[in-house]
């Protein structure tokens, strides 16, 4: 019998991801429901599969489709208004507010980064967590405590959920999904009046930059403002992100004879100018702006690909800055010194968040965040985000803390109590009066 059971387990793989279905409007404690939801969602293998990003109709991995369908079922069971799949890549549903009130979209992504293995996630629940006593994740023999992860200090006594140390828990951004679904339950299971119509926007492949630029996701939500519930710092109310431009710098040169200098090959006034040397010089000039060296509000220039020969070479750059002047300065430095032998082509990927446009909603978010027990913080995000693309479309966008910590690795974790407080933050926003 044991052998048969083992064979059956091997044939079936992991238990079905959708085994747990919450009872609609159960009234269970918020932290308990947050824990159960995260454990349920972690069972879905939703890691981004770069090989599947080319299909515009479907998420890159089957697990994302499965989780989206699971969430759609939850929202329908709660009685959400107009629950639907949006062109295969998102689930959208609503909780109506007062006529004439604002439409606030709450965004979270269901996928997990491909930076670290996340298939076969094995969540571990640590109750009454003691941050000063090292917790060993046995699968990876990793000790987690507040000395190594200072943010654990504020989780003392909480129910902390981690992976087993071998694969990522996927808390980024399944903690955000938990918070958005908890908000849906609060709104849909209560007859209490609320000012805003809440739009729940759950999206696939949010970690894949190539698929973030999907304006239809924002258009389908028809939102007056977008709150991206995908932050890893307590109290995040962020409105400052970087703009991004991708650039290709091409250089021309002349080959050098293998038997030594020759006199016939002149290019741009120099003998035997190698295109590879030109590109090398370019990268040397840009080094101070490289990832790991630039800091604060400085622009960032990252070379992601180099190819070519002595006669023709090119470098592909990702240039990011908090303002357009920084983008222009980096591009000028990249091309000007090697003219006329260089050409430059650029492609706009994202604009920085429009802070002025977002401020009325950010002010409300700061109030709601403080009332939920977090200290609001607007730390600049040194990169582009899902919200950057919405802001570029003229939609006021604010990034909020979602409850995950130490993302994209084997030590990511979330607190059930914090996820419940994030849901409280979102709930308070739906009661706000907004003057846009």
């Amino acid at each position: 019998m044991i052998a048969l059971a083992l064979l059956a387990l091997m044939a079936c793989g992991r238990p079905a991801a959708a085994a747990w279905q919450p009872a609609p409007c159960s009234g269970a404690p918020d932290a308990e429901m947050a824990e159960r939801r995260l454990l349920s969602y972690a069972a879905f293998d939703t890691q981004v599969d770069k090989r599947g990003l080319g299909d515009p109709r479907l998420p890159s991995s089957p697990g994302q489709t499965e989780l989206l369908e699971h969430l759609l079922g939850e929202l329908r069971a709660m009685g959400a208004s107009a629950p639907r799949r949006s062109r295969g890549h998102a689930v959208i549903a609503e909780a109506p507010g007062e006529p004439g009130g604002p439409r606030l979209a709450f965004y979270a992504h269901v996928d997990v980064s491909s930076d670290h293995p996340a298939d076969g996630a094995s969540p571990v629940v640590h109750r009454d967590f003691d941050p000063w006593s090292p917790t060993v994740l046995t699968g990876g023999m990793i000790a987690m405590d507040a000395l190594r992860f200072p943010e654990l200090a504020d989780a003392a006594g909480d129910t902390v959920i981690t992976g087993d140390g071998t694969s990522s828990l996927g808390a980024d951004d399944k903690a955000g999904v938990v918070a958005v679904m908890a908000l849906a339950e609060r709104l849909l299971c209560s007859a209490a009046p609320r000012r805003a119509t809440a739009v729940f926007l759950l999206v696939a492949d949010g970690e894949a930059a190539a698929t973030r630029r999907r304006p239809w996701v924002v258009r389908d939500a028809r939102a007056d403002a977008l709150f991206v519930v995908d932050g890893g710092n307590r109290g995040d109310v962020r409105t400052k992100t970087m703009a991004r431009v991708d650039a290709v710098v091409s250089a021309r040169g002349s080959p050098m004879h293998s038997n030594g200098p020759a006199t016939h090959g002149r290019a741009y006034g120099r003998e035997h100018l190698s295109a590879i040397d030109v590109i090398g010089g370019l990268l040397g000039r840009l080094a101070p702006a490289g990832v790991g060296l630039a800091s604060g509000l400085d622009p960032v220039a990252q070379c992601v690909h180099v190819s070519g020969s002595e006669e023709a070479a090119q470098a592909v750059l990702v240039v990011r800055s908090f303002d357009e002047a920084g983008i222009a300065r980096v591009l000028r430095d990249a091309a000007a010194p090697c003219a006329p032998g260089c050409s430059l082509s650029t492609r706009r990927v994202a604009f920085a968040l429009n802070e002025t446009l977002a401020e009325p909603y950010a002010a409300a978010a700061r109030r709601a965040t403080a009332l939920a027990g977090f200290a609001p913080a607007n730390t600049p995000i040194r990169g582009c985000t899902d919200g950057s693309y919405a802001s570029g479309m003229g939609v006021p966008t604010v990034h909020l803390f979602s409850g995950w910590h130490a993302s994209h690795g084997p030590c990511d974790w979330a607190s059930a109590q914090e996820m419940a407080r994030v849901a409280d933050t979102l709930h308070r926003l739906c009661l706000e009066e907004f003057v846009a």
Side-chain angles (χ1 to χ4, degrees), residues 19-37:
W20 179 74
Q21 285 280 359
C25 307
S26 66
D30 292 340
E32 178 185 323
M33 287 298 291
E35 174 193 335
R36 297 187 70 180
R37 277 198 166 96

Side-chain angles (χ1 to χ4, degrees), residues 214-278:
R214 293 177 298 205
W216 49 262
V217 172
V218 178
R219 282 200 297 264
D220 287 359
R222 296 182 293 113
D224 296 315
L226 178 70
F227 292 95
V228 178
V229 190
D230 184 20
N233 297 302
R234 288 187 186 90
D236 271 351
V237 182
R238 295 183 172 191
T239 57
K240 196 173 190 65
T241 65
M242 286 180 149
R244 171 177 165 177
V245 167
D246 290 356
V248 177
V249 182
S250 301
R252 299 192 309 276
S254 60
M256 176 176 284
H257 286 272
S258 60
N259 60 353
T263 58
H264 65 278
R266 291 179 176 272
Y268 326 123
R270 305 177 190 175
E271 290 189 354
H272 311 300
L273 179 66
S274 166
I276 293 176
D277 288 341
V278 173

Side-chain angles (χ1 to χ4, degrees), residues 102 104 195 224-225 356-361 396 433-436:
L104 306 181
R195 171 70 176 148
D224 296 315
T356 302
L357 192 64
E359 179 50 33
Y361 300 95
E433 293 280 350
F434 292 95
V435 181

Side-chain angles (χ1 to χ4, degrees), residues 6 41 78 100 103 118-119 132 135 180 202 259 264 270 287 335-336 363 377 395 418 422:
L6 288 173
Y41 302 160
M78 292 177 197
R103 289 177 59 85
D119 56 321
W132 303 108
T135 298
V180 171
L202 305 164
N259 60 353
H264 65 278
R270 305 177 190 175
V395 178
E418 283 188 349
V422 172

